[in-house]
Amino acid sequence: MELFDLGGQVAIITGSSRGIGKAIAERMAEHGAKVVISSRKAGPCDEVAAGINGRFGEGRAIAVPANIASKEDLQRLVDETLSAFGRIDALVCNAASNPYAGPMAGISDEQFEKILHNNVISNHWLIQMVAPHMLERGSGTITVISSIGGMRGNAQIGAYNISKAADMQLVRNLAVEWGASGVRVNCIAPGLVQTDFARYLWENPALLKMVTEPAPLKRIGQPDEIAGAAVYLAAPASSYMTGQTLVVDGGLTIAW
């Protein structure tokens, strides 16, 4: 268990009131971390935190609602975490937006700007708020949830894919900057996962078949299958890994 022991760690997970983020928070708590649940709405955050505290003991989770589009909200997320726990050991940037599906010619400036702002710039803001505490201590992990879309072209979610490719490069840059100081930065690139965020894909039988049939595992992923990768990247097991994108996609990207 030592390789995957998160005991003593404090982890912030954005977008953690549901889906992949919720699964990551629950699994990190299971492996010993204290977790900060954050998304836009207070009620769902409180519910997830209460569930974790009910399973693992009071004080293992707190809820700090924050809109990733707001720099002030993100700073408050960091400040309240430090006030409650005194440290930040792991950050998982999971929250993202995708308000448009269709060819690039049809996207409005407002939609494109929102995608880039929420999926790249907001990650940059939050990482820069958290990093000084890790750098001063000489340890910490930052994980960005990207997507295999950042590795491929797509006629329907091109702008989203651009933002996810940018996240991969953001991670590479920061890994180079901070590696000597003991701070590791990595990405996870999921394939299609059964979440509300991707509902428009997996609820359509034709689209679901088109995505899953070429993959060796022949099925959609589950949030908990991404959570294991996040635990790994925050744990001692991955201590020699930084600047990488860990693909968790049922094998889709290696299939013909």
Side-chain angles (χ1 to χ4, degrees), residues 117-170:
H117 187 284
N118 287 358
N119 298 1
V120 185
I121 295 173
S122 294
N123 288 344
H124 165 71
W125 283 347
L126 183 54
I127 289 168
Q128 295 301 326
M129 293 169 186
V130 166
H133 307 282
M134 296 180 176
L135 294 168
E136 183 179 1
R137 196 172 58 249
S139 67
T141 64
I142 296 164
T143 303
V144 177
I145 308 301
S146 182
S147 167
I148 61 168
M151 302 173 169
R152 303 162 63 119
N154 189 291
Q156 294 299 310
I157 53 171
Y160 177 78
N161 288 356
I162 288 168
S163 74
K164 292 304 180 177
D167 280 334
M168 295 177 194
Q169 186 59 38
L170 175 65

mmCIF file of all heavy atoms in Angstrom, residues 117-170:
data_model
loop_
_atom_site.group_PDB
_atom_site.id
_atom_site.type_symbol
_atom_site.label_atom_id
_atom_site.label_comp_id
_atom_site.label_asym_id
_atom_site.label_seq_id
_atom_site.Cartn_x
_atom_site.Cartn_y
_atom_site.Cartn_z
ATOM 1 N N HIS A 117 -10.555 29.710 -22.270
ATOM 2 C CA HIS A 117 -10.464 30.306 -20.941
ATOM 3 C C HIS A 117 -10.645 29.256 -19.855
ATOM 4 O O HIS A 117 -9.828 29.128 -18.939
ATOM 5 C CB HIS A 117 -11.517 31.404 -20.798
ATOM 6 C CG HIS A 117 -11.389 32.186 -19.531
ATOM 7 N ND1 HIS A 117 -11.781 31.704 -18.302
ATOM 8 C CD2 HIS A 117 -10.907 33.428 -19.291
ATOM 9 C CE1 HIS A 117 -11.548 32.592 -17.371
ATOM 10 N NE2 HIS A 117 -11.009 33.655 -17.953
ATOM 11 N N ASN A 118 -11.732 28.480 -19.952
ATOM 12 C CA ASN A 118 -12.044 27.532 -18.880
ATOM 13 C C ASN A 118 -11.151 26.294 -18.888
ATOM 14 O O ASN A 118 -10.902 25.708 -17.825
ATOM 15 C CB ASN A 118 -13.508 27.082 -18.985
ATOM 16 C CG ASN A 118 -14.468 28.178 -18.567
ATOM 17 O OD1 ASN A 118 -14.061 29.265 -18.165
ATOM 18 N ND2 ASN A 118 -15.754 27.908 -18.660
ATOM 19 N N ASN A 119 -10.668 25.896 -20.056
ATOM 20 C CA ASN A 119 -9.920 24.648 -20.158
ATOM 21 C C ASN A 119 -8.406 24.836 -20.114
ATOM 22 O O ASN A 119 -7.680 23.858 -19.890
ATOM 23 C CB ASN A 119 -10.287 23.906 -21.443
ATOM 24 C CG ASN A 119 -11.754 23.525 -21.484
ATOM 25 O OD1 ASN A 119 -12.518 23.813 -20.575
ATOM 26 N ND2 ASN A 119 -12.156 22.879 -22.560
ATOM 27 N N VAL A 120 -7.937 26.063 -20.344
ATOM 28 C CA VAL A 120 -6.492 26.298 -20.353
ATOM 29 C C VAL A 120 -6.102 27.417 -19.385
ATOM 30 O O VAL A 120 -5.332 27.203 -18.443
ATOM 31 C CB VAL A 120 -5.984 26.642 -21.778
ATOM 32 C CG1 VAL A 120 -4.459 26.769 -21.776
ATOM 33 C CG2 VAL A 120 -6.425 25.597 -22.781
ATOM 34 N N ILE A 121 -6.664 28.591 -19.589
ATOM 35 C CA ILE A 121 -6.255 29.738 -18.775
ATOM 36 C C ILE A 121 -6.613 29.529 -17.309
ATOM 37 O O ILE A 121 -5.813 29.834 -16.411
ATOM 38 C CB ILE A 121 -6.878 31.041 -19.326
ATOM 39 C CG1 ILE A 121 -6.312 31.345 -20.720
ATOM 40 C CG2 ILE A 121 -6.617 32.205 -18.379
ATOM 41 C CD1 ILE A 121 -6.959 32.507 -21.427
ATOM 42 N N SER A 122 -7.801 28.986 -17.041
ATOM 43 C CA SER A 122 -8.192 28.745 -15.654
ATOM 44 C C SER A 122 -7.271 27.733 -14.984
ATOM 45 O O SER A 122 -6.934 27.875 -13.795
ATOM 46 C CB SER A 122 -9.641 28.263 -15.595
ATOM 47 O OG SER A 122 -10.530 29.277 -16.009
ATOM 48 N N ASN A 123 -6.854 26.713 -15.732
ATOM 49 C CA ASN A 123 -5.881 25.761 -15.192
ATOM 50 C C ASN A 123 -4.574 26.473 -14.851
ATOM 51 O O ASN A 123 -3.980 26.236 -13.796
ATOM 52 C CB ASN A 123 -5.616 24.640 -16.198
ATOM 53 C CG ASN A 123 -6.784 23.677 -16.321
ATOM 54 O OD1 ASN A 123 -7.676 23.644 -15.482
ATOM 55 N ND2 ASN A 123 -6.780 22.885 -17.385
ATOM 56 N N HIS A 124 -4.140 27.324 -15.763
ATOM 57 C CA HIS A 124 -2.909 28.103 -15.524
ATOM 58 C C HIS A 124 -3.038 28.949 -14.259
ATOM 59 O O HIS A 124 -2.124 28.975 -13.419
ATOM 60 C CB HIS A 124 -2.626 28.985 -16.742
ATOM 61 C CG HIS A 124 -1.627 30.063 -16.499
ATOM 62 N ND1 HIS A 124 -0.271 29.820 -16.319
ATOM 63 C CD2 HIS A 124 -1.785 31.414 -16.378
ATOM 64 C CE1 HIS A 124 0.354 30.969 -16.115
ATOM 65 N NE2 HIS A 124 -0.534 31.935 -16.147
ATOM 66 N N TRP A 125 -4.159 29.634 -14.115
ATOM 67 C CA TRP A 125 -4.366 30.461 -12.920
ATOM 68 C C TRP A 125 -4.249 29.640 -11.649
ATOM 69 O O TRP A 125 -3.492 29.979 -10.740
ATOM 70 C CB TRP A 125 -5.757 31.087 -12.960
ATOM 71 C CG TRP A 125 -5.924 32.256 -13.866
ATOM 72 C CD1 TRP A 125 -4.945 32.982 -14.475
ATOM 73 C CD2 TRP A 125 -7.169 32.833 -14.265
ATOM 74 N NE1 TRP A 125 -5.504 33.975 -15.237
ATOM 75 C CE2 TRP A 125 -6.859 33.911 -15.125
ATOM 76 C CE3 TRP A 125 -8.504 32.537 -13.984
ATOM 77 C CZ2 TRP A 125 -7.854 34.702 -15.685
ATOM 78 C CZ3 TRP A 125 -9.491 33.317 -14.556
ATOM 79 C CH2 TRP A 125 -9.182 34.390 -15.391
ATOM 80 N N LEU A 126 -5.019 28.558 -11.578
ATOM 81 C CA LEU A 126 -5.077 27.766 -10.349
ATOM 82 C C LEU A 126 -3.727 27.112 -10.049
ATOM 83 O O LEU A 126 -3.284 27.079 -8.893
ATOM 84 C CB LEU A 126 -6.176 26.706 -10.459
ATOM 85 C CG LEU A 126 -6.421 25.842 -9.220
ATOM 86 C CD1 LEU A 126 -6.677 26.690 -7.983
ATOM 87 C CD2 LEU A 126 -7.587 24.888 -9.455
ATOM 88 N N ILE A 127 -3.074 26.622 -11.073
ATOM 89 C CA ILE A 127 -1.757 26.012 -10.876
ATOM 90 C C ILE A 127 -0.773 27.035 -10.314
ATOM 91 O O ILE A 127 -0.010 26.742 -9.385
ATOM 92 C CB ILE A 127 -1.244 25.406 -12.194
ATOM 93 C CG1 ILE A 127 -2.059 24.162 -12.556
ATOM 94 C CG2 ILE A 127 0.237 25.053 -12.094
ATOM 95 C CD1 ILE A 127 -1.826 23.658 -13.974
ATOM 96 N N GLN A 128 -0.800 28.247 -10.861
ATOM 97 C CA GLN A 128 0.127 29.274 -10.384
ATOM 98 C C GLN A 128 -0.197 29.729 -8.965
ATOM 99 O O GLN A 128 0.682 30.201 -8.243
ATOM 100 C CB GLN A 128 0.116 30.472 -11.340
ATOM 101 C CG GLN A 128 0.639 30.171 -12.727
ATOM 102 C CD GLN A 128 2.075 29.666 -12.739
ATOM 103 O OE1 GLN A 128 2.899 30.069 -11.927
ATOM 104 N NE2 GLN A 128 2.378 28.771 -13.666
ATOM 105 N N MET A 129 -1.431 29.573 -8.551
ATOM 106 C CA MET A 129 -1.810 29.899 -7.169
ATOM 107 C C MET A 129 -1.347 28.835 -6.182
ATOM 108 O O MET A 129 -0.999 29.138 -5.039
ATOM 109 C CB MET A 129 -3.332 30.061 -7.062
ATOM 110 C CG MET A 129 -3.891 31.257 -7.793
ATOM 111 S SD MET A 129 -5.703 31.174 -7.857
ATOM 112 C CE MET A 129 -6.075 32.582 -8.913
ATOM 113 N N VAL A 130 -1.352 27.594 -6.637
ATOM 114 C CA VAL A 130 -1.009 26.461 -5.771
ATOM 115 C C VAL A 130 0.497 26.202 -5.739
ATOM 116 O O VAL A 130 1.056 25.827 -4.704
ATOM 117 C CB VAL A 130 -1.762 25.199 -6.241
ATOM 118 C CG1 VAL A 130 -1.201 23.940 -5.609
ATOM 119 C CG2 VAL A 130 -3.251 25.327 -5.950
ATOM 120 N N ALA A 131 1.148 26.392 -6.865
ATOM 121 C CA ALA A 131 2.548 25.991 -7.009
ATOM 122 C C ALA A 131 3.497 26.594 -5.968
ATOM 123 O O ALA A 131 4.383 25.879 -5.478
ATOM 124 C CB ALA A 131 3.039 26.330 -8.415
ATOM 125 N N PRO A 132 3.371 27.879 -5.600
ATOM 126 C CA PRO A 132 4.336 28.432 -4.627
ATOM 127 C C PRO A 132 4.392 27.642 -3.320
ATOM 128 O O PRO A 132 5.479 27.498 -2.733
ATOM 129 C CB PRO A 132 3.822 29.850 -4.403
ATOM 130 C CG PRO A 132 3.129 30.202 -5.675
ATOM 131 C CD PRO A 132 2.471 28.924 -6.111
ATOM 132 N N HIS A 133 3.269 27.118 -2.882
ATOM 133 C CA HIS A 133 3.234 26.352 -1.638
ATOM 134 C C HIS A 133 3.966 25.018 -1.804
ATOM 135 O O HIS A 133 4.649 24.563 -0.882
ATOM 136 C CB HIS A 133 1.788 26.114 -1.211
ATOM 137 C CG HIS A 133 0.973 27.375 -1.140
ATOM 138 N ND1 HIS A 133 1.066 28.259 -0.084
ATOM 139 C CD2 HIS A 133 0.093 27.921 -2.014
ATOM 140 C CE1 HIS A 133 0.260 29.274 -0.306
ATOM 141 N NE2 HIS A 133 -0.345 29.098 -1.469
ATOM 142 N N MET A 134 3.847 24.428 -2.976
ATOM 143 C CA MET A 134 4.544 23.171 -3.254
ATOM 144 C C MET A 134 6.040 23.425 -3.431
ATOM 145 O O MET A 134 6.876 22.672 -2.916
ATOM 146 C CB MET A 134 3.971 22.526 -4.515
ATOM 147 C CG MET A 134 2.516 22.114 -4.411
ATOM 148 S SD MET A 134 1.939 21.362 -5.972
ATOM 149 C CE MET A 134 0.278 20.866 -5.511
ATOM 150 N N LEU A 135 6.385 24.472 -4.169
ATOM 151 C CA LEU A 135 7.795 24.762 -4.447
ATOM 152 C C LEU A 135 8.548 25.110 -3.174
ATOM 153 O O LEU A 135 9.704 24.705 -2.993
ATOM 154 C CB LEU A 135 7.891 25.903 -5.460
ATOM 155 C CG LEU A 135 7.364 25.585 -6.867
ATOM 156 C CD1 LEU A 135 7.242 26.855 -7.694
ATOM 157 C CD2 LEU A 135 8.271 24.572 -7.566
ATOM 158 N N GLU A 136 7.896 25.817 -2.279
ATOM 159 C CA GLU A 136 8.537 26.174 -1.013
ATOM 160 C C GLU A 136 8.823 24.926 -0.179
ATOM 161 O O GLU A 136 9.860 24.828 0.481
ATOM 162 C CB GLU A 136 7.635 27.128 -0.222
ATOM 163 C CG GLU A 136 8.232 27.608 1.081
ATOM 164 C CD GLU A 136 7.330 28.569 1.825
ATOM 165 O OE1 GLU A 136 6.207 28.854 1.337
ATOM 166 O OE2 GLU A 136 7.738 29.029 2.906
ATOM 167 N N ARG A 137 7.917 23.963 -0.243
ATOM 168 C CA ARG A 137 8.066 22.729 0.526
ATOM 169 C C ARG A 137 8.960 21.713 -0.199
ATOM 170 O O ARG A 137 9.481 20.765 0.400
ATOM 171 C CB ARG A 137 6.691 22.120 0.768
ATOM 172 C CG ARG A 137 6.644 21.057 1.862
ATOM 173 C CD ARG A 137 5.220 20.634 2.172
ATOM 174 N NE ARG A 137 4.532 20.122 1.012
ATOM 175 C CZ ARG A 137 3.516 20.749 0.401
ATOM 176 N NH1 ARG A 137 3.066 21.899 0.868
ATOM 177 N NH2 ARG A 137 2.946 20.219 -0.661
ATOM 178 N N GLY A 138 9.100 21.866 -1.519
ATOM 179 C CA GLY A 138 9.938 20.953 -2.294
ATOM 180 C C GLY A 138 9.267 19.662 -2.685
ATOM 181 O O GLY A 138 9.931 18.672 -2.995
ATOM 182 N N SER A 139 7.929 19.668 -2.719
ATOM 183 C CA SER A 139 7.203 18.481 -3.158
ATOM 184 C C SER A 139 5.781 18.851 -3.527
ATOM 185 O O SER A 139 5.233 19.839 -3.026
ATOM 186 C CB SER A 139 7.182 17.405 -2.065
ATOM 187 O OG SER A 139 6.421 17.836 -0.953
ATOM 188 N N GLY A 140 5.186 18.044 -4.391
ATOM 189 C CA GLY A 140 3.794 18.259 -4.789
ATOM 190 C C GLY A 140 3.530 17.652 -6.146
ATOM 191 O O GLY A 140 4.458 17.394 -6.927
ATOM 192 N N THR A 141 2.251 17.404 -6.421
ATOM 193 C CA THR A 141 1.867 16.869 -7.727
ATOM 194 C C THR A 141 0.704 17.672 -8.286
ATOM 195 O O THR A 141 -0.199 18.071 -7.551
ATOM 196 C CB THR A 141 1.455 15.390 -7.643
ATOM 197 O OG1 THR A 141 0.283 15.254 -6.833
ATOM 198 C CG2 THR A 141 2.577 14.539 -7.080
ATOM 199 N N ILE A 142 0.760 17.891 -9.582
ATOM 200 C CA ILE A 142 -0.311 18.573 -10.304
ATOM 201 C C ILE A 142 -0.718 17.671 -11.464
ATOM 202 O O ILE A 142 0.133 17.210 -12.232
ATOM 203 C CB ILE A 142 0.159 19.943 -10.821
ATOM 204 C CG1 ILE A 142 0.499 20.874 -9.650
ATOM 205 C CG2 ILE A 142 -0.904 20.575 -11.730
ATOM 206 C CD1 ILE A 142 1.313 22.082 -10.039
ATOM 207 N N THR A 143 -2.003 17.394 -11.552
ATOM 208 C CA THR A 143 -2.528 16.543 -12.613
ATOM 209 C C THR A 143 -3.634 17.281 -13.348
ATOM 210 O O THR A 143 -4.570 17.784 -12.720
ATOM 211 C CB THR A 143 -3.093 15.229 -12.042
ATOM 212 O OG1 THR A 143 -2.076 14.558 -11.294
ATOM 213 C CG2 THR A 143 -3.589 14.319 -13.156
ATOM 214 N N VAL A 144 -3.525 17.359 -14.646
ATOM 215 C CA VAL A 144 -4.543 17.989 -15.481
ATOM 216 C C VAL A 144 -5.283 16.892 -16.251
ATOM 217 O O VAL A 144 -4.650 16.044 -16.884
ATOM 218 C CB VAL A 144 -3.917 18.997 -16.463
ATOM 219 C CG1 VAL A 144 -4.987 19.595 -17.369
ATOM 220 C CG2 VAL A 144 -3.178 20.096 -15.709
ATOM 221 N N ILE A 145 -6.606 16.908 -16.168
ATOM 222 C CA ILE A 145 -7.399 15.955 -16.944
ATOM 223 C C ILE A 145 -7.592 16.523 -18.337
ATOM 224 O O ILE A 145 -8.340 17.474 -18.541
ATOM 225 C CB ILE A 145 -8.760 15.667 -16.273
ATOM 226 C CG1 ILE A 145 -8.564 15.255 -14.814
ATOM 227 C CG2 ILE A 145 -9.491 14.573 -17.059
ATOM 228 C CD1 ILE A 145 -7.712 14.027 -14.602
ATOM 229 N N SER A 146 -6.896 15.950 -19.284
ATOM 230 C CA SER A 146 -6.976 16.370 -20.678
ATOM 231 C C SER A 146 -7.943 15.445 -21.414
ATOM 232 O O SER A 146 -9.016 15.140 -20.896
ATOM 233 C CB SER A 146 -5.577 16.356 -21.300
ATOM 234 O OG SER A 146 -5.612 16.797 -22.639
ATOM 235 N N SER A 147 -7.594 14.963 -22.581
ATOM 236 C CA SER A 147 -8.460 14.085 -23.371
ATOM 237 C C SER A 147 -7.659 13.547 -24.541
ATOM 238 O O SER A 147 -6.739 14.219 -25.039
ATOM 239 C CB SER A 147 -9.669 14.865 -23.892
ATOM 240 O OG SER A 147 -10.365 14.132 -24.882
ATOM 241 N N ILE A 148 -8.024 12.340 -24.997
ATOM 242 C CA ILE A 148 -7.385 11.858 -26.224
ATOM 243 C C ILE A 148 -7.739 12.756 -27.401
ATOM 244 O O ILE A 148 -7.070 12.721 -28.435
ATOM 245 C CB ILE A 148 -7.744 10.397 -26.530
ATOM 246 C CG1 ILE A 148 -9.253 10.225 -26.734
ATOM 247 C CG2 ILE A 148 -7.211 9.468 -25.465
ATOM 248 C CD1 ILE A 148 -9.638 8.868 -27.323
ATOM 249 N N GLY A 149 -8.771 13.596 -27.238
ATOM 250 C CA GLY A 149 -9.096 14.565 -28.282
ATOM 251 C C GLY A 149 -7.939 15.503 -28.572
ATOM 252 O O GLY A 149 -7.819 16.029 -29.687
ATOM 253 N N GLY A 150 -7.077 15.732 -27.579
ATOM 254 C CA GLY A 150 -5.921 16.591 -27.780
ATOM 255 C C GLY A 150 -4.851 15.968 -28.643
ATOM 256 O O GLY A 150 -3.877 16.637 -29.012
ATOM 257 N N MET A 151 -5.020 14.694 -28.997
ATOM 258 C CA MET A 151 -4.047 13.980 -29.827
ATOM 259 C C MET A 151 -4.560 13.703 -31.232
ATOM 260 O O MET A 151 -3.827 13.165 -32.055
ATOM 261 C CB MET A 151 -3.715 12.625 -29.179
ATOM 262 C CG MET A 151 -3.176 12.730 -27.781
ATOM 263 S SD MET A 151 -3.023 11.074 -27.053
ATOM 264 C CE MET A 151 -2.072 11.465 -25.588
ATOM 265 N N ARG A 152 -5.831 14.056 -31.478
ATOM 266 C CA ARG A 152 -6.470 13.663 -32.731
ATOM 267 C C ARG A 152 -7.274 14.827 -33.298
ATOM 268 O O ARG A 152 -7.687 15.720 -32.563
ATOM 269 C CB ARG A 152 -7.417 12.476 -32.491
ATOM 270 C CG ARG A 152 -6.753 11.261 -31.885
ATOM 271 C CD ARG A 152 -7.762 10.316 -31.275
ATOM 272 N NE ARG A 152 -8.674 9.782 -32.286
ATOM 273 C CZ ARG A 152 -8.792 8.492 -32.567
ATOM 274 N NH1 ARG A 152 -8.087 7.606 -31.919
ATOM 275 N NH2 ARG A 152 -9.623 8.080 -33.479
ATOM 276 N N GLY A 153 -7.529 14.788 -34.584
ATOM 277 C CA GLY A 153 -8.442 15.735 -35.187
ATOM 278 C C GLY A 153 -9.876 15.245 -35.071
ATOM 279 O O GLY A 153 -10.133 14.053 -34.957
ATOM 280 N N ASN A 154 -10.824 16.194 -35.088
ATOM 281 C CA ASN A 154 -12.230 15.834 -34.981
ATOM 282 C C ASN A 154 -13.068 16.944 -35.575
ATOM 283 O O ASN A 154 -12.868 18.119 -35.260
ATOM 284 C CB ASN A 154 -12.605 15.610 -33.509
ATOM 285 C CG ASN A 154 -13.987 15.033 -33.350
ATOM 286 O OD1 ASN A 154 -14.988 15.690 -33.618
ATOM 287 N ND2 ASN A 154 -14.050 13.793 -32.880
ATOM 288 N N ALA A 155 -14.012 16.598 -36.434
ATOM 289 C CA ALA A 155 -14.817 17.606 -37.124
ATOM 290 C C ALA A 155 -15.928 18.186 -36.263
ATOM 291 O O ALA A 155 -16.579 19.144 -36.670
ATOM 292 C CB ALA A 155 -15.426 16.990 -38.391
ATOM 293 N N GLN A 156 -16.163 17.625 -35.082
ATOM 294 C CA GLN A 156 -17.264 18.083 -34.237
ATOM 295 C C GLN A 156 -16.810 18.814 -32.974
ATOM 296 O O GLN A 156 -17.501 19.699 -32.492
ATOM 297 C CB GLN A 156 -18.138 16.885 -33.836
ATOM 298 C CG GLN A 156 -18.869 16.248 -35.004
ATOM 299 C CD GLN A 156 -19.830 17.212 -35.687
ATOM 300 O OE1 GLN A 156 -20.643 17.867 -35.038
ATOM 301 N NE2 GLN A 156 -19.726 17.321 -37.000
ATOM 302 N N ILE A 157 -15.673 18.427 -32.420
ATOM 303 C CA ILE A 157 -15.224 19.059 -31.165
ATOM 304 C C ILE A 157 -13.793 19.585 -31.311
ATOM 305 O O ILE A 157 -12.949 19.432 -30.429
ATOM 306 C CB ILE A 157 -15.330 18.097 -29.964
ATOM 307 C CG1 ILE A 157 -14.619 16.770 -30.254
ATOM 308 C CG2 ILE A 157 -16.791 17.868 -29.605
ATOM 309 C CD1 ILE A 157 -14.512 15.865 -29.028
ATOM 310 N N GLY A 158 -13.548 20.233 -32.426
ATOM 311 C CA GLY A 158 -12.200 20.720 -32.726
ATOM 312 C C GLY A 158 -11.683 21.732 -31.725
ATOM 313 O O GLY A 158 -10.520 21.660 -31.301
ATOM 314 N N ALA A 159 -12.508 22.682 -31.329
ATOM 315 C CA ALA A 159 -12.056 23.708 -30.394
ATOM 316 C C ALA A 159 -11.731 23.099 -29.032
ATOM 317 O O ALA A 159 -10.733 23.453 -28.395
ATOM 318 C CB ALA A 159 -13.122 24.788 -30.258
ATOM 319 N N TYR A 160 -12.573 22.186 -28.581
ATOM 320 C CA TYR A 160 -12.313 21.473 -27.325
ATOM 321 C C TYR A 160 -10.989 20.727 -27.414
ATOM 322 O O TYR A 160 -10.173 20.762 -26.478
ATOM 323 C CB TYR A 160 -13.466 20.510 -27.059
ATOM 324 C CG TYR A 160 -13.301 19.643 -25.836
ATOM 325 C CD1 TYR A 160 -13.538 20.143 -24.562
ATOM 326 C CD2 TYR A 160 -12.932 18.306 -25.961
ATOM 327 C CE1 TYR A 160 -13.400 19.344 -23.442
ATOM 328 C CE2 TYR A 160 -12.796 17.496 -24.851
ATOM 329 C CZ TYR A 160 -13.030 18.013 -23.594
ATOM 330 O OH TYR A 160 -12.891 17.214 -22.489
ATOM 331 N N ASN A 161 -10.740 20.073 -28.547
ATOM 332 C CA ASN A 161 -9.499 19.334 -28.715
ATOM 333 C C ASN A 161 -8.278 20.246 -28.704
ATOM 334 O O ASN A 161 -7.221 19.873 -28.182
ATOM 335 C CB ASN A 161 -9.543 18.535 -30.023
ATOM 336 C CG ASN A 161 -10.492 17.359 -29.950
ATOM 337 O OD1 ASN A 161 -11.074 17.085 -28.907
ATOM 338 N ND2 ASN A 161 -10.656 16.659 -31.058
ATOM 339 N N ILE A 162 -8.419 21.420 -29.282
ATOM 340 C CA ILE A 162 -7.328 22.390 -29.241
ATOM 341 C C ILE A 162 -6.980 22.735 -27.798
ATOM 342 O O ILE A 162 -5.806 22.787 -27.411
ATOM 343 C CB ILE A 162 -7.712 23.657 -30.029
ATOM 344 C CG1 ILE A 162 -7.721 23.366 -31.534
ATOM 345 C CG2 ILE A 162 -6.756 24.811 -29.722
ATOM 346 C CD1 ILE A 162 -8.366 24.454 -32.376
ATOM 347 N N SER A 163 -8.004 22.935 -26.984
ATOM 348 C CA SER A 163 -7.753 23.283 -25.582
ATOM 349 C C SER A 163 -7.088 22.129 -24.837
ATOM 350 O O SER A 163 -6.227 22.343 -23.973
ATOM 351 C CB SER A 163 -9.064 23.673 -24.888
ATOM 352 O OG SER A 163 -9.894 22.551 -24.628
ATOM 353 N N LYS A 164 -7.454 20.897 -25.172
ATOM 354 C CA LYS A 164 -6.882 19.747 -24.481
ATOM 355 C C LYS A 164 -5.447 19.479 -24.923
ATOM 356 O O LYS A 164 -4.615 19.000 -24.140
ATOM 357 C CB LYS A 164 -7.759 18.519 -24.691
ATOM 358 C CG LYS A 164 -9.117 18.637 -23.989
ATOM 359 C CD LYS A 164 -8.944 18.895 -22.502
ATOM 360 C CE LYS A 164 -10.228 19.017 -21.743
ATOM 361 N NZ LYS A 164 -10.025 19.194 -20.300
ATOM 362 N N ALA A 165 -5.133 19.793 -26.177
ATOM 363 C CA ALA A 165 -3.746 19.719 -26.628
ATOM 364 C C ALA A 165 -2.908 20.777 -25.919
ATOM 365 O O ALA A 165 -1.753 20.523 -25.532
ATOM 366 C CB ALA A 165 -3.682 19.913 -28.140
ATOM 367 N N ALA A 166 -3.486 21.954 -25.721
ATOM 368 C CA ALA A 166 -2.775 23.017 -25.002
ATOM 369 C C ALA A 166 -2.487 22.600 -23.567
ATOM 370 O O ALA A 166 -1.424 22.917 -23.013
ATOM 371 C CB ALA A 166 -3.595 24.302 -25.031
ATOM 372 N N ASP A 167 -3.412 21.879 -22.935
ATOM 373 C CA ASP A 167 -3.180 21.394 -21.574
ATOM 374 C C ASP A 167 -1.972 20.462 -21.520
ATOM 375 O O ASP A 167 -1.184 20.499 -20.572
ATOM 376 C CB ASP A 167 -4.419 20.662 -21.050
ATOM 377 C CG ASP A 167 -5.499 21.608 -20.556
ATOM 378 O OD1 ASP A 167 -5.173 22.735 -20.149
ATOM 379 O OD2 ASP A 167 -6.678 21.208 -20.575
ATOM 380 N N MET A 168 -1.821 19.618 -22.528
ATOM 381 C CA MET A 168 -0.673 18.706 -22.558
ATOM 382 C C MET A 168 0.636 19.485 -22.645
ATOM 383 O O MET A 168 1.630 19.128 -21.994
ATOM 384 C CB MET A 168 -0.800 17.746 -23.739
ATOM 385 C CG MET A 168 -1.975 16.792 -23.637
ATOM 386 S SD MET A 168 -2.107 15.745 -25.110
ATOM 387 C CE MET A 168 -3.766 15.073 -24.878
ATOM 388 N N GLN A 169 0.641 20.554 -23.432
ATOM 389 C CA GLN A 169 1.862 21.359 -23.545
ATOM 390 C C GLN A 169 2.098 22.176 -22.280
ATOM 391 O O GLN A 169 3.251 22.358 -21.862
ATOM 392 C CB GLN A 169 1.787 22.279 -24.758
ATOM 393 C CG GLN A 169 3.070 23.049 -25.024
ATOM 394 C CD GLN A 169 4.259 22.127 -25.266
ATOM 395 O OE1 GLN A 169 4.126 21.091 -25.894
ATOM 396 N NE2 GLN A 169 5.417 22.509 -24.749
ATOM 397 N N LEU A 170 1.036 22.648 -21.653
ATOM 398 C CA LEU A 170 1.163 23.355 -20.379
ATOM 399 C C LEU A 170 1.866 22.461 -19.362
ATOM 400 O O LEU A 170 2.783 22.892 -18.646
ATOM 401 C CB LEU A 170 -0.224 23.751 -19.872
ATOM 402 C CG LEU A 170 -0.301 24.408 -18.488
ATOM 403 C CD1 LEU A 170 0.406 25.757 -18.484
ATOM 404 C CD2 LEU A 170 -1.764 24.563 -18.060
#
